[in-house]
Amino acid sequence: MPGDWDKDVYQQPASRTPVVDKQTGLPNPAVIVSKLFHYTVDLPVTTFREWVERQQKKHTFYYYHQNFRRVPDLIDCQLGDYLCYYEAEMQWRRDYKVDQEIVKILQERLRACHQREGESHVQNCAKELEQFKEAAKGYQSRYGDLGAYASARKCLMKQKHRMIEEREKEKGEA
């Protein structure tokens, strides 16, 4: 069976690939450019990157979250102490973001309770609702109506004006 094939129709395949005949003795410019790029750009960059990765692997740093020390409030800063002003502003911005996240988390808990309890959410989610109302009231009293360009100084002025209004109400009632 294997020996009965027609050699004229099905010829034997070539045992080796043919050698390309070069027409010229000059080297190929594409090969020269690619090797030039490889040795001048690619190889140094790759070597440097591998070296940096090896150095970083030696000193692995596990970053979870950054702890900041508490700095004095804006009212505790001395007049003209711009570094203290800046630190107080950054502390206020961190507190602002933390308070935003607290309100968001409580809101998510309240929504999850509403979804979970269905029709009986009024009596079963009373604790979550009270927590959310309290946090939202505190957030609104501290950060509400500050606008898009809120800052520690604006927040402090708002608190000062609120305290002055409360004193005037007490004087008016007395």
Side-chain angles (χ1 to χ4, degrees):
M1 297 283 197
D4 61 350
W5 52 278
D6 190 6
K7 291 184 180 181
D8 295 329
V9 178
Y10 301 106
Q11 294 180 0
Q12 186 79 15
S15 60
R16 291 189 288 162
T17 56
V19 178
V20 177
D21 250 351
K22 285 189 168 183
Q23 299 295 329
T24 178
L26 296 175
N28 188 354
V31 173
I32 293 173
V33 169
S34 67
K35 285 189 178 186
L36 182 71
F37 177 78
H38 174 73
Y39 287 112
T40 58
V41 178
D42 189 34
L43 188 66
V45 169
T46 305
T47 306
F48 178 72
R49 180 181 171 87
E50 289 171 353
W51 179 79
V52 168
E53 287 176 351
R54 282 195 308 270
Q55 298 303 316
Q56 288 177 346
K57 205 173 257 189
K58 290 179 185 176
H59 308 289
T60 56
F61 177 70
Y62 298 105
Y63 177 79
Y64 295 107
H65 64 278
Q66 192 171 0
N67 293 324
F68 295 98
R69 64 177 180 85
R70 293 294 297 187
V71 296
D73 285 333
L74 199 57
I75 57 174
D76 299 331
C77 292
Q78 299 294 322
L79 186 64
D81 188 3
Y82 296 106
L83 182 62
C84 185
Y85 293 164
Y86 177 77
E87 286 180 342
E89 179 69 29
M90 293 300 110
Q91 181 68 52
W92 181 85
R93 287 185 184 182
R94 287 190 295 270
D95 292 342
Y96 179 66
K97 288 182 180 182
V98 166
D99 290 343
Q100 277 181 336
E101 291 300 317
I102 288 171
V103 170
K104 283 181 188 176
I105 289 170
L106 291 174
Q107 190 175 24
E108 288 173 7
R109 286 182 185 173
L110 183 63
R111 284 184 186 152
C113 185
H114 277 259
Q115 182 72 24
R116 184 178 59 244
E117 297 299 330
E119 294 295 322
S120 61
H121 68 84
V122 175
Q123 63 259 30
N124 293 342
C125 299
K127 183 181 82 170
E128 287 86 355
L129 182 62
E130 188 60 36
Q131 282 179 339
F132 174 70
K133 281 183 180 179
E134 183 180 330
K137 182 181 173 187
Y139 181 83
Q140 182 64 27
S141 70
R142 185 168 183 189
Y143 303 113
D145 301 327
L146 286 180
Y149 302 105
S151 67
R153 188 176 300 265
K154 282 185 179 180
C155 188
L156 183 63
M157 291 300 115
K158 180 182 175 185
Q159 183 181 2
K160 181 185 82 167
H161 291 305
R162 190 174 61 233
M163 290 173 63
I164 290 172
E165 288 174 3
E166 289 174 359
R167 284 184 191 166
E168 289 176 357
K169 282 184 183 178
E170 288 176 4
K171 286 180 183 178
E173 291 175 359

